[in-house]
Amino acid sequence: MSINKKRLVVATGNAGKLREIKEILSEYEVLGASELGLVFDAEENGNSFCANATIKAEALRQLTSCAVLADDSGLCVDALMGAPGIFSARYAGENASDQDNVDKLLTMLDGVPLEERSARFVCAICLITEDGKKIYGEGTCEGRILLSPQGTGGFGYDPIFYSLDYQKSFGVLLPEQKNAISHRRRALEDLKKKMK
């Protein structure tokens, strides 16, 4: 006899992200908002990853009585006082491409030696349970910013992010290698611990 799982609606249409969440939060039936035809628009105007994840989760929660989950993530570079941070996706402007953002970051770090380019990917997750309780998870992935891109894999800043775990650029890692140590996976694992 099968046991009905509680449903968890995720504020994403990203298949890779959904797969990772399904794997880690296996006690839930995980569905993307778009799979249920839920269209929501949340203005991410918080001052932290956690605040933005909460804004997205609360906006989605208005549309369903199921548990909901949202995340926000980005790259924080120590030599730039934590920039691009929450502005990672639009660092070079509102409609900037990944390449535009990478180019701006490398320009901002021009002249900064490799050993002073410490950085981390950060992910914050907000889960709102069926009864309205908020649970948070956070994860980081430490590394440094390379002088120039290495590899063509991944997306965003991956080709210039050197992972301390693998001693390689995220741009040369296989997706499953990256996902095994990603900031999102670590945030989900942190969330799972707090759910118990």
Side-chain angles (χ1 to χ4, degrees), residues 39-103:
V39 179
F40 70 102
D41 188 26
E43 189 181 351
E44 295 177 50
N45 55 7
N47 60 2
S48 67
F49 295 116
C50 188
N52 283 333
T54 304
I55 288 167
K56 288 189 265 191
E58 287 174 341
L60 182 56
R61 179 62 190 205
Q62 299 297 315
L63 306 175
T64 178
S65 58
C66 300
V68 298
L69 181 146
D71 75 315
D72 192 45
S73 58
L75 178 67
C76 299
V77 181
D78 293 325
L80 301 177
M81 310 293 283
I86 58 171
F87 303 106
S88 293
R90 52 192 187 277
Y91 190 44
E94 205 54 51
N95 297 307
S97 67
D98 287 350
Q99 190 59 55
D100 294 335
N101 288 329
V102 165
D103 291 344

Side-chain angles (χ1 to χ4, degrees), residues 33-174:
S34 57
E35 291 178 86
L36 296 175
L38 301 177
V39 179
F40 70 102
D41 188 26
E43 189 181 351
E44 295 177 50
N45 55 7
N47 60 2
S48 67
F49 295 116
C50 188
N52 283 333
T54 304
I55 288 167
K56 288 189 265 191
E58 287 174 341
L60 182 56
R61 179 62 190 205
Q62 299 297 315
L63 306 175
T64 178
S65 58
C66 300
V68 298
L69 181 146
D71 75 315
D72 192 45
S73 58
L75 178 67
C76 299
V77 181
D78 293 325
L80 301 177
M81 310 293 283
I86 58 171
F87 303 106
S88 293
R90 52 192 187 277
Y91 190 44
E94 205 54 51
N95 297 307
S97 67
D98 287 350
Q99 190 59 55
D100 294 335
N101 288 329
V102 165
D103 291 344
K104 177 172 180 181
L105 185 62
L106 290 177
T107 299
M108 296 298 287
L109 288 172
D110 192 35
V112 178
L114 194 58
E115 60 274 12
E116 292 174 27
R117 290 169 168 244
S118 55
R120 69 208 44 82
F121 278 115
V122 177
C123 177
I125 290 179
C126 174
L127 171 77
I128 304 178
T129 63
E130 296 86 343
D131 58 3
K133 183 179 174 194
K134 290 185 181 121
I135 306 171
Y136 294 93
E138 187 168 284
T140 60
C141 186
E142 297 290 330
R144 66 172 57 106
I145 303 303
L146 293 164
L147 299 171
S148 60
Q150 290 180 7
T152 56
F155 59 92
Y157 299 96
D158 286 355
I160 59 168
F161 184 80
Y162 180 86
S163 162
L164 295 184
D165 291 292
Y166 280 109
Q167 305 285 302
K168 289 180 181 172
S169 146
F170 265 11
V172 300
L173 293 180
L174 296 170

